[in-house]
Amino acid sequence: MTKQIRQLDRVVIRFAGDSGDGMQLTGDRFTSETAQLGNDISTLPNFPAEIRAPAGTLPGVSSFQVHFADYDILTPGDSPNVLVAMNPAALKANLADLPRGADIIVNTDEFTRRNLAKVGYQSNPLEDDSLAGYVLHPVALTSMTVGALAALDVSKKDAERAKNMFALGLLSWMYSRPYESTLRFLERKFAARPELVAANVAAFRAGWNFGETTEDFAVRYEVKPAKMRPGTYRNITGNAALSLGLVAAGVRSGLPVFLGAYPITPASDILHELSKHKRLGVLTMQAEDEIAAVGAALGASYGGALGVTTTSGPGVALKSETISLAVALELPLVIVDVQRAGPSTGMPTKTEQADLNMALHGRHGEAPIAVIAPKSPSDCFHAAIEAARIALTYRTPVILLSDNYVANGSEPWLLPDVESLPDLRVEFATKPNGDDGTTFLPYLRDPETLARPWAIPGTAGLEHRIGGLEKADKTGDISYDPANHDFMVRTRAARIETIPVPDVEVEDPDGDARVLVLGWGSTYGPIGAACRGLRQRGHAVAQAHLRHLAPMPANLGEVLRSYDRVVIPEMNLGQLAHVIRAKYLVDAISYNQVRGLPFTAAELETTLEEVLKNV
């Protein structure tokens, strides 16, 4: 049968099923195939926090959304063009997100009376015309997979579990994806069990062949490669990019990288990734708790390493005392907070931006530190290097505020030229610095950076006291002198306030916008897509995005006062907006949602259009 081939400029696909159906693996493999083809990509994994929620229930639904296009894209897409639903729960949980006319591929084998009742369906939606507004493709994924593997030496259970590869094969055929890398991946993943290699490969090929031969799919689609800067690309998640950024920081500084970490969602993948790079001078320690993890990292910094600790919101609260100690000791320390929905345990696998207040102010006493935030998965690499640069240069803790959206999302990453990365080499103290030539003054500061000397323990003649008690200026002796305490507090604050950071850049194509949209962190993509949509419809709107949240760019006040209205969308209740109002006396308009999901471009576009009407 000759199938029609239709060209598309973009597609959004969502794979959804039970948490045991392999939707994350399926989505990841489809994304990898798409990356090889050269499309621009953005992904959104979404999975339950429970290790295994009851099968077939709404809390157990796991999904993976991938948006790919032949042009530059900024988000994983607002709504899927295609939904692959492995069971009734997956259909019900995701149907509201689909526009009319979207394609729905359903695994009919799972639409049993029992499974329908689990999620509250009174009748079978595949038969009662409730899906009449969509293009429905009923496919017996499970039974067809079992049938395709009948001649292989695998159990029925293993055969049924391969249905996700059948679905992947079908979608790979539909969208003309290269699949050789998936076959190689399956060979590596199941190398210890050749029968599972054969089963999954057979299931994948069966799905591909089904698309080729069935009359239900009469059209095959193609999305051409995007025009991108020349170079070598790889598909990368935010956590992986951040990990490689820390590795690069170690290489460029010439220091060993020490990670002290306690596993916590969604930061654990950084520990997993960094543990693979021992040959590049990375040492990882899985501590017994969050407090031990940060204590070990600070100890490593004292010993002359780049100390790093990773966590999420609850862990930052536990680490706060040791972070304050790092402020007093004036030692470099990178704290990676991959934010998740709180408070308390909250929703561990959902995203939020609600740790900004804690990052800026969540320590006892006057303990200011630097805070930066990456804007996208690939930007996590450069943000990690910037965090290390500030920590090493200014001898300060730095909090890097990632979040679940950028940490687990992925996009193409242009591999940088290593020599173009900043030189982070550090000069340790090697000899006494007192006027008499024999005394070491551990708090004698560099006049430009206000950083104190970094002396490796055991260096002859540089013995000095450490600890949390207040230090005397220059000598580092314990001091209870009021004037000295006031001086040290103000000096530590000045060290942070005077860190030179790049000016904030404003995207205002025509230069006549009266409304500025200001964002930070992972809101970059949705804000950018919304502003792009408004401009295409003739509206003038400006966008600016903050990477450095403490200290803030020197030109930010001037930028804010250049516009009649400033809108700040955040996945919290207005934390940056409060800072902007207090610091710059700008009556910013705060737009907030805390649903555990990123903003959609469409909802932001609608909100911004209302603001534009009232300017």
Side-chain angles (χ1 to χ4, degrees):
M1 181 188 303
T2 301
K3 302 285 182 99
Q4 177 186 354
I5 296 179
R6 186 177 301 166
Q7 296 289 334
L8 299 174
D9 62 353
R10 60 177 288 272
V11 179
V12 180
I13 298 174
R14 184 180 296 175
F15 299 91
D18 192 70
S19 57
D21 285 338
M23 294 295 94
Q24 302 304 317
L25 175 63
T26 305
D28 181 70
R29 293 315 310 163
F30 188 90
T31 301
S32 296
E33 294 173 358
T34 300
Q36 288 186 40
L37 198 59
N39 298 126
D40 197 16
I41 311 166
S42 182
T43 68
L44 178 63
N46 190 4
F47 39 85
E50 293 78 8
I51 293 175
R52 185 64 193 272
T57 63
L58 291 173
V61 173
S62 174
S63 68
F64 189 105
Q65 183 164 305
V66 53
H67 181 193
F68 57 103
D70 63 5
Y71 60 90
D72 171 48
I73 57 176
L74 297 170
T75 74
D78 289 356
S79 53
N81 307 111
V82 182
L83 171 66
V84 179
M86 303 298 279
N87 59 21
L91 176 64
K92 189 166 189 177
N94 293 281
L95 187 61
D97 294 337
L98 268 64
R100 291 291 174 172
D103 287 284
I104 303 176
I105 301 171
V106 293
N107 180 14
T108 56
D109 291 320
E110 293 295 318
F111 279 70
T112 63
R113 182 175 300 178
R114 183 167 179 262
N115 287 345
L116 291 167
K118 280 184 182 180
V119 294
Y121 276 124
Q122 301 300 315
S123 60
N124 190 337
L126 308 184
E127 301 171 352
D128 62 8
D129 293 329
S130 61
L131 302 177
Y134 307 94
V135 181
L136 182 64
H137 303 279
V139 181
L141 287 173
T142 305
S143 57
M144 291 179 70
T145 302
V146 172
L149 307 186
L152 301 179
D153 184 21
V154 292
S155 67
K156 183 180 178 184
K157 181 180 179 180
D158 284 338
E160 290 178 347
R161 291 180 66 182
K163 62 182 179 290
N164 65 323
M165 287 297 108
F166 188 103
L168 178 60
L170 173 58
L171 269 294
S172 298
W173 173 84
M174 282 181 65
Y175 291 95
S176 308
R177 303 293 93 183
Y179 60 81
E180 292 80 6
S181 64
T182 292
L183 301 184
R184 292 194 297 269
F185 167 81
L186 293 172
E187 291 172 357
R188 293 193 304 270
K189 181 175 178 62
F190 299 110
R193 297 187 61 183
E195 73 278 10
L196 293 186
V197 174
N200 281 276
V201 168
F204 181 93
R205 293 190 183 279
W208 181 283
N209 293 334
F210 176 74
E212 188 73 44
T213 57
T214 182
E215 295 183 6
D216 191 31
F217 296 95
V219 179
R220 190 180 187 189
Y221 303 96
E222 286 185 354
V223 179
K224 292 184 177 180
K227 293 182 179 179
M228 306 172 79
R229 287 175 54 194
T232 302
Y233 287 82
R234 62 162 285 188
N235 185 50
I236 199 165
T237 65
N239 274 344
L242 198 153
S243 301
L244 294 180
L246 293 172
V247 173
V251 171
R252 297 296 289 170
S253 66
L255 301 178
V257 175
F258 177 91
L259 173 68
Y262 180 75
I264 184 171
T265 301
S268 299
D269 282 344
I270 301 173
L271 171 60
H272 302 159
E273 179 64 30
L274 284 178
S275 67
K276 303 174 184 176
H277 299 291
K278 295 178 183 178
R279 65 183 180 85
L280 293 173
V282 178
L283 180 64
T284 56
M285 185 188 85
Q286 180 174 320
E288 65 267 28
D289 56 39
E290 296 281 5
I291 298 172
V294 68
L298 182 56
S301 289
Y302 176 59
L306 172 57
V308 182
T309 188
T310 54
T311 188
S312 192
V316 179
L318 291 167
K319 295 177 189 294
S320 63
E321 183 180 5
T322 304
I323 298 172
S324 293
L325 175 60
V327 172
L329 297 182
E330 300 188 35
L331 286 172
L333 180 67
V334 175
I335 305 102
V336 178
D337 177 6
V338 186
Q339 300 166 96
R340 69 190 203 187
S344 189
T345 308
M347 299 191 296
T349 59
K350 309 303 177 184
T351 196
E352 205 162 271
Q353 288 182 300
D355 291 353
L356 179 58
N357 281 342
M358 182 164 61
L360 294 174
H361 310 296
R363 289 161 297 284
H364 58 283
E366 292 288 347
I369 64 176
V371 180
I372 67 174
K375 65 183 182 181
S376 69
S378 63
D379 188 48
C380 287
F381 175 84
H382 300 284
I385 293 177
E386 176 67 354
R389 183 192 70 82
I390 293 175
L392 293 172
T393 304
Y394 298 92
R395 313 285 197 267
T396 178
V398 179
I399 289 184
L400 198 165
L401 281 177
S402 178
D403 65 47
N404 191 40
Y405 177 28
V406 296
N408 288 314
S410 63
E411 65 181 359
W413 173 48
L414 176 62
L415 271 62
D417 176 14
V418 174
E419 295 304 317
S420 70
L421 300 178
D423 185 347
L424 303 181
R425 283 175 293 183
V426 174
E427 290 188 8
F428 291 105
T430 58
K431 59 184 179 180
N433 58 359
D435 291 337
D436 59 6
T438 61
T439 304
F440 177 60
L441 302 175
Y443 282 83
L444 182 65
R445 301 179 183 280
D446 182 301
E448 291 187 7
T449 65
L450 298 182
R452 75 175 186 89
W454 191 2
I456 297 178
T459 305
L462 304 189
E463 296 83 1
H464 61 284
R465 181 188 300 274
I466 65 165
L469 292 173
E470 182 61 281
K471 307 292 184 295
D473 180 38
K474 299 184 179 62
T475 67
D477 295 335
I478 294 173
S479 174
Y480 289 93
D481 179 69
N484 177 80
H485 178 58
D486 183 270
F487 176 80
M488 294 296 278
V489 167
R490 293 179 186 276
T491 302
R492 287 190 290 260
R495 192 174 81 257
I496 303 303
E497 291 169 3
T498 57
I499 294 174
V501 300
D503 283 349
V504 64
E505 296 181 359
V506 180
E507 184 181 339
D508 185 358
D510 297 325
D512 58 355
R514 298 172 61 190
V515 173
L516 172 71
V517 189
L518 180 67
W520 68 276
S522 65
T523 57
Y524 173 79
I527 290 173
C531 290
R532 180 184 291 177
L534 287 167
R535 292 178 191 129
Q536 289 173 346
R537 295 194 287 116
H539 297 288
V541 62
Q543 177 189 0
H545 208 76
L546 293 177
R547 165 180 280 181
H548 295 85
L549 298 160
M552 288 185 169
N555 71 328
L556 181 58
E558 179 184 353
V559 167
L560 295 172
R561 289 186 287 271
S562 301
Y563 294 89
D564 296 338
R565 294 285 187 276
V566 176
V567 183
I568 305 179
E570 297 180 81
M571 290 185 290
N572 56 44
L573 296 183
Q575 295 184 17
L576 176 62
H578 294 159
V579 173
I580 293 298
R581 288 171 181 152
K583 187 175 179 66
Y584 299 102
L585 303 181
V586 170
D587 188 18
I589 300 170
S590 190
Y591 179 67
N592 313 109
Q593 288 189 0
V594 281
R595 301 178 302 165
L597 294 169
F599 289 111
T600 66
E603 64 190 334
L604 276 180
E605 192 171 334
T606 300
T607 298
L608 295 175
E609 190 168 19
E610 288 300 313
V611 175
L612 290 166
K613 288 179 181 178
N614 296 312
V615 174

